[in-house]
Amino acid sequence: MGNQFLEVKDLEVVYTQNKKMVHAVNGVSFSLGKGKTLGIVGETGAGKTTISKAIMRILPDVGARITNGEIYLNGESVLDKSEEEMLDVRGKVVSMIFQDPMTALNPLMTVGDQILEVIELHNDCDKKEAVKLAGDMLEMVGIPRVRYKEYPHQFSGGMKQRVVIAMALACNPELLLADEPTTALDVTVQAQVLGLIRDLREKYDTALILITHDLGVVAQTCDEVAVIYAGQIVEYGTKEDLFDHPTHPYTLGLFGSLPGMAEGEKRLHSIVGLPPDPTNLPEGCKFWPRCPHMTEACKGEIPVKHLSETHYYRCLKDRNPDGTFEDQTKPGGNENG
Amino acid sequence: MYKYVIKRLISMIIIVVCAGIIVFTLMYLAPGDPARLQLGQWATEDVLAAKRHELGIDLPYIVQLGKFLYNTFLRFDFGISWQSSMPVMGELAVRLPRTLMIGIPSMILSVVVGTVLGIFAATHEGRLGDSLTMVLTMVLVSAPDFWVALMFIILFAAKLGWVPAFGIESLKSYILPIICSALPVMAVNARQARSSMLEVIRADYITTARSKGQKSKVIVRRHMFPNALMPIITGVAGGLCKVVAGSPVIESVFSIPGVGAYLLSGVNYRDRPVVCGCVVFFALFTSIVVLLMDLCYAFLDPRIKAQYSK
């Protein structure tokens, strides 16, 4: 560590909404090497999108504040940059693919012009060349060049997401933030879009942060995984660490809620309860109200425990080598109802 | 697209004719005897009957209506005012420029200032500038225009003597009427522009534009404003429709012989040709403006254009 491509340290983001403080991100730290892929997994509202928007400094002007933490990109502090300096970072060094392709494109501009916009901002070339480049980008994501002058409403959801991807990759960014790029798409298109992102990433050696709540997508794409709950990383490790030795009760719950095809199970498991209200987070471990191993001590300070150099989790319990916890309860999802 | 315009033009004709029929019928049914209103309380029954015959109001309703429709829509003749015995068309032609002298500058003022204020408020949401703008526009929306006009006359004409209090002798005398009729419309435009800008500011494609590294000024101009323009145009079109009608209140307060005052006196004297002529003219103008507005939408928004060409 130390001189990684991207480093996020103790990031805290607070939204103010109707005079209430929403603690969206509570001390998140991670780092990412060049060309690597990090998956950020968690439920809706866990703060995944907020983390990526904080890295690009595109949180809403009104109401959102980065209250603590540092973000280093190529060794330079992102949070100390002026807005003007950030303009050169966004779209060129870091770019983002958004969750909902239906609303991510300006409905009044042709798709070509929207790709052109980012190229003209960051490339020193004349208009003609830029238009050609924008057309190239369209073809690269599998959209014929002749559709350059069409508007977003003439495209299907998957096509729009391709346009968004073309836009994000137009200036060969060093870091790509993909915020649930496939959530709004149906399964077949999902696979295509993921394949596209993977191919393009390999071609340009772009680092990728893939935000998702789909463990299957993580397994296909990521090198490292951060499981996030209520704005905190509760478990972090390589893909192998996480999938072979899931440790935090929340991670185990997530895996437990995957349908097991082999055993012919009838019911899906789920984690009991709902994510906590971010305006009023529980003391200590944020997960204790839903945790099957909860004790009084969970409401106090929670240590971070390292299982290996790459694998750590945030829980009071120690994991036994055989995968059980010290209180002998078997890990796994809770039976629902 | 051409098909759409032709379709709209046909429906426009139907609407204007209907407006003519409705206003004619209402005036026909309105209580009060036009002959007596003109000749005074002491006129004898013989004289009144002769007058009624002269005005043609002793004929059956359906005949009168037929004549009215024939003259108005086929010969483009609005008839002769019962009150002044002057052709309505000629009177409108004389008065319209005065009304437009107030209406057009006031509309431009209200649209430009209102939209700029609205954008300013929206981009400074929750800050002092926004709150001040919203309070100011609230006051302007709620203050009755005749009262504002009177206060302005007291302050700027009577006390300070900068401008004349009434009349149309000099260009200066148009200043107060223009401002007075612009203020409430400006306030409505500002609130409309603010709310539609705010809606757009939160849109995902604005985040997309920011993530491209676009400057915020360009984002406002290129991404936000065009998307916020639809409701603003609706407001502008609403204001434009009123331009030819003028404001009876403002024209009365400032004693400006414009179209609004003409219509008002027509209503007072049950002067049917004047009222019907004015209303048909307003209806025609309004439907043209609405058509232009819809074409504007199509020009701005490819989605609407696609709908029209179906």
Side-chain angles (χ1 to χ4, degrees), chain B residues 51 65-66 96 158 162 168 177 189 200 228 270 292-293 302:
Chain B
K51 188 75 184 173
L65 178 65
L96 191 59
W162 290 351
I168 48 168
N189 282 346
V200 172
R270 304 286 180 275
L292 289 179
M293 177 183 85

Side-chain angles (χ1 to χ4, degrees), chain A residues 43-337:
Chain A
E43 277 165 280
T44 306
K48 304 175 305 245
T49 305
T50 307
I51 294 172
S52 52
K53 283 189 176 168
I55 294 171
M56 285 191 101
R57 294 243 320 260
I58 52 168
L59 289 164
D61 289 334
V62 183
R65 222 151 27 91
I66 298 175
T67 46
N68 189 23
E70 290 158 87
I71 299 170
Y72 292 98
L73 197 64
N74 278 332
E76 290 175 47
S77 169
V78 171
L79 299 184
D80 291 336
K81 279 183 190 277
S82 70
E83 180 62 24
E84 246 162 67
E85 288 170 313
M86 277 315 289
L87 294 181
D88 291 331
V89 173
R90 293 183 200 133
K92 181 152 182 68
V93 186
V94 189
S95 65
M96 188 158 172
I97 298 172
F98 293 91
Q99 181 171 1
D100 188 354
M102 300 299 170
T103 56
L105 294 172
N106 184 342
L108 305 187
M109 270 171 94
T110 63
V111 293
D113 281 346
Q114 299 194 46
I115 302 174
L116 181 70
E117 185 178 19
V118 67
I119 294 174
E120 281 190 320
L121 278 170
H122 300 295
N123 285 23
D124 275 328
C125 58
D126 59 32
K127 174 113 187 183
K128 222 175 140 190
E129 228 174 298
V131 170
K132 191 188 160 295
L133 245 163
D136 290 346
M137 288 312 295
L138 273 180
E139 289 202 326
M140 193 178 74
V141 294
I143 296 172
R145 195 181 288 265
V146 288
R147 304 197 66 178
Y148 183 97
K149 284 214 159 68
E150 288 186 20
Y151 289 91
H153 73 273
Q154 290 161 293
F155 285 69
S156 69
M159 296 280 256
K160 279 186 213 174
Q161 192 62 298
R162 282 158 188 265
V163 173
V164 174
I165 292 171
M167 222 154 66
L169 292 171
C171 296
N172 303 335
E174 294 167 53
L175 172 63
L176 182 61
L177 306 169
D179 181 5
E180 307 202 18
T182 57
T183 306
L185 308 174
D186 59 57
V187 189
T188 43
V189 185
Q190 242 180 49
Q192 288 172 20
V193 166
L194 279 178
L196 188 68
I197 293 177
R198 207 168 36 220
D199 292 349
L200 297 173
R201 203 180 63 74
E202 274 160 19
K203 199 159 148 195
Y204 296 110
D205 197 29
T206 304
L208 172 69
I209 294 183
L210 182 69
I211 296 166
T212 181
H213 49 238
D214 187 336
L215 287 167
V217 170
V218 171
Q220 278 176 45
T221 330
C222 299
D223 303 315
E224 286 170 36
V225 188
V227 178
I228 189 159
Y229 186 80
Q232 275 187 338
I233 294 180
V234 292
E235 185 162 0
Y236 188 101
T238 62
K239 178 171 73 185
E240 289 75 19
D241 290 337
L242 253 283
F243 278 78
D244 297 344
H245 310 286
T247 305
H248 192 278
Y250 178 65
T251 318
L252 291 164
L254 283 184
F255 279 104
S257 61
L258 289 177
M261 294 291 197
E263 296 127 56
E265 281 176 271
K266 295 245 163 62
R267 277 193 86 94
L268 289 178
H269 297 282
S270 72
I271 304 171
V272 190
L274 292 170
D277 173 9
T279 61
N280 184 21
L281 288 174
E283 290 284 313
C285 174
K286 313 285 182 244
F287 188 60
W288 69 255
R290 302 169 76 183
C291 185
H293 313 289
M294 194 272 275
T295 57
E296 251 339 275
C298 291
K299 297 174 190 174
E301 196 78 3
I302 306 295
V304 173
K305 291 180 181 162
H306 284 264
L307 290 169
S308 69
E309 196 148 315
T310 51
H311 191 182
Y312 70 80
Y313 68 107
R314 190 185 294 269
C315 186
L316 274 181
K317 308 272 169 175
D318 286 316
R319 195 186 62 165
N320 299 329
D322 61 353
T324 56
F325 281 96
E326 49 192 11
D327 61 0
Q328 293 308 310
T329 44
K330 244 186 102 65
N334 310 307
E335 205 78 39
N336 188 16

